[in-house]
Amino acid sequence: MPPVRFDESGSKVRLSDIATDPPKDVTKEQAVARFETLNQETFRLQELMWGARLNSVLVVLQGRDAAGKDGAIKHVVGALNPRGVNVVSFGVPTTEEREHDFLWRVHRHAPRRGEFSIFNRSHYEDVLVARVHDLVPKSLWKERYGHINDFEELLAEHGTIVLKFFLHISKKEQEKRLLERERDPSTAWKLNVNDWKERERWDDYTEAYEAAIARCSSSHAPWFVVPADAKWYRNLVIAEVVAEAMRPYKQSWLDKLDSDGAEGRSALAEYRKSLGNRRGNGND
Ligand code: ATP
């Protein structure tokens, strides 16, 4: 099954109807080969975007604990030229952050034109964890969906390609991964008793994610529900969506580079001409 794309608000979202495992007709071998091809394409697109300075990309990664946000970041970044890439993680807000509106800490990390930013968690936590744990009154978090839509529209108007991914894992797969973290010393740093506590609120998070996706999807900032039980398939889906989203801009970036190049060449020609004149006048 392809990733499920939500690009308009109001449609019903039922996560239990969406697979967490890869479709039967895609093998790991095929996925890895396609992933490599896509990475090469994305790298070239990123170079053009960087040079043209017309657009930027914002990838938002959300998911339950152990859904694979870190792994996804590693693979997205791996395809890119690190120049012009920012990864920003949003944890529990600091006192200063809490004293501002919820978008304050997020907006300052929005990518500049030419850049590629990846958010590990995001402004969506303010309608997820905040809703599940009553961190703010309902009257406040309810209003946030509208604020988020306005914010993402603003980013899109500024040329940002906004892509939001929910890494969709099963409850069973999460348990397996959390237990693995305990066994494997190399991932022991990820151990967090809170992950088990949050797991008890599985259904509440499901409801909160469904509401966020249903209320904050648009053609300029779509949500993708990514089957994420198999890491190789998760990586493929994200790579496919990113390349597909950047591809339509390629010609405009090439045109911009072309016109910038023409300007640069004519400035150089002027400069060389003036050098020639100075030499002719015996100034050198
Ligand atoms: P993993 O998913 O691999 O377990 P993680 O993303 O949970 O890693 P942590 O630094 O352990 O990384 O957790 C970040 C914590 O910050 C999460 O529990 C998240 O809910 C919390 N958080 C993020 N944004 C907010 C927010 N706006 N309000 C309250 N809590 C937040």
Side-chain angles (χ1 to χ4, degrees), residues 65-66 69 90-93 105 121 125-126 129 135 181 195:
D65 296 305
K69 295 185 294 296
F90 293 97
V92 177
R105 67 173 183 161
R121 302 189 187 266
E125 290 296 321
D126 292 285
V129 66
L135 301 183
R181 285 183 180 180
D195 293 349

Side-chain angles (χ1 to χ4, degrees), residues 122-155:
S122 65
H123 41 297
Y124 280 94
E125 290 296 321
D126 292 285
V127 288
L128 294 165
V129 66
R131 169 177 167 152
V132 170
H133 288 287
D134 298 316
L135 301 183
V136 294
K138 182 172 181 183
S139 57
L140 209 60
W141 61 251
K142 252 178 58 188
E143 294 303 317
R144 289 180 172 168
Y145 298 107
H147 296 315
I148 289 176
N149 286 333
D150 291 342
F151 170 57
E152 292 176 353
E153 194 178 338
L154 178 67
L155 297 183

Side-chain angles (χ1 to χ4, degrees), residues 58 60-62 86-111 117-130 135-136 144 148 151 155:
L58 173 60
V60 170
L61 289 173
Q62 286 287 161
N86 304 301
V87 177
V88 190
S89 297
F90 293 97
V92 177
T94 62
T95 308
E96 189 190 17
E97 287 169 349
R98 247 187 253 283
E99 283 168 358
H100 289 85
D101 67 84
F102 78 105
L103 290 172
W104 178 78
R105 67 173 183 161
V106 180
H107 201 169
R108 51 210 284 262
H109 292 291
S117 295
I118 302 165
F119 285 179
N120 178 3
R121 302 189 187 266
S122 65
H123 41 297
Y124 280 94
E125 290 296 321
D126 292 285
V127 288
L128 294 165
V129 66
L135 301 183
V136 294
R144 289 180 172 168
I148 289 176
F151 170 57
L155 297 183

Side-chain angles (χ1 to χ4, degrees), residues 35-276:
F35 177 70
E36 291 306 325
T37 310
L38 286 165
N39 279 355
Q40 288 169 21
E41 182 186 1
T42 302
F43 182 87
R44 286 194 299 270
L45 287 166
Q46 184 211 0
E47 290 291 277
L48 298 178
M49 182 175 80
W50 170 264
R53 290 286 201 280
L54 290 174
N55 299 95
S56 58
V57 175
L58 173 60
V59 164
V60 170
L61 289 173
Q62 286 287 161
R64 303 174 197 268
D65 296 305
K69 295 185 294 296
D70 278 342
I73 291 168
K74 194 165 71 187
H75 284 90
V76 174
V77 173
L80 301 168
N81 183 335
R83 178 209 57 202
V85 179
N86 304 301
V87 177
V88 190
S89 297
F90 293 97
V92 177
T94 62
T95 308
E96 189 190 17
E97 287 169 349
R98 247 187 253 283
E99 283 168 358
H100 289 85
D101 67 84
F102 78 105
L103 290 172
W104 178 78
R105 67 173 183 161
V106 180
H107 201 169
R108 51 210 284 262
H109 292 291
R112 295 179 199 192
R113 289 197 177 115
E115 285 182 351
F116 198 115
S117 295
I118 302 165
F119 285 179
N120 178 3
R121 302 189 187 266
S122 65
H123 41 297
Y124 280 94
E125 290 296 321
D126 292 285
V127 288
L128 294 165
V129 66
R131 169 177 167 152
V132 170
H133 288 287
D134 298 316
L135 301 183
V136 294
K138 182 172 181 183
S139 57
L140 209 60
W141 61 251
K142 252 178 58 188
E143 294 303 317
R144 289 180 172 168
Y145 298 107
H147 296 315
I148 289 176
N149 286 333
D150 291 342
F151 170 57
E152 292 176 353
E153 194 178 338
L154 178 67
L155 297 183
E157 269 175 25
H158 192 67
T160 304
I161 303 166
V162 183
L163 302 168
K164 302 173 301 195
F165 296 94
F166 170 63
L167 306 185
H168 186 33
I169 53 166
S170 63
K171 204 167 179 187
K172 198 162 149 238
E173 180 65 21
Q174 188 197 45
E175 181 180 30
K176 187 175 139 233
R177 291 186 188 180
L178 291 178
L179 289 171
E180 263 165 28
R181 285 183 180 180
E182 284 178 49
R183 279 193 293 269
D184 180 355
S186 71
T187 53
W189 61 274
K190 289 188 179 178
L191 273 186
N192 187 346
V193 62
N194 224 23
D195 293 349
W196 289 99
K197 292 186 187 160
E198 290 296 83
R199 185 175 156 81
E200 290 170 25
R201 308 295 301 268
W202 184 274
D203 293 340
D204 297 328
Y205 272 105
T206 301
E207 224 175 86
Y209 268 110
E210 287 175 344
I213 297 169
R215 302 196 56 177
C216 300
S217 291
S218 61
S219 55
H220 55 264
W223 268 106
F224 298 88
V225 177
V226 181
D229 277 0
K231 296 172 185 173
W232 55 267
Y233 187 68
R234 170 202 74 201
N235 296 337
L236 172 67
V237 166
I238 298 174
E240 195 85 64
V241 169
V242 169
E244 206 170 287
M246 294 176 82
R247 217 174 276 140
Y249 294 85
K250 184 175 175 182
Q251 195 52 51
S252 63
W253 297 337
L254 283 169
D255 292 346
K256 173 73 167 28
L257 287 167
D258 207 38
S259 81
D260 286 355
E263 241 175 67
R265 279 190 297 276
S266 113
L268 257 179
E270 280 292 316
Y271 171 68
R272 290 198 178 113
K273 205 165 119 199
S274 76
L275 271 186

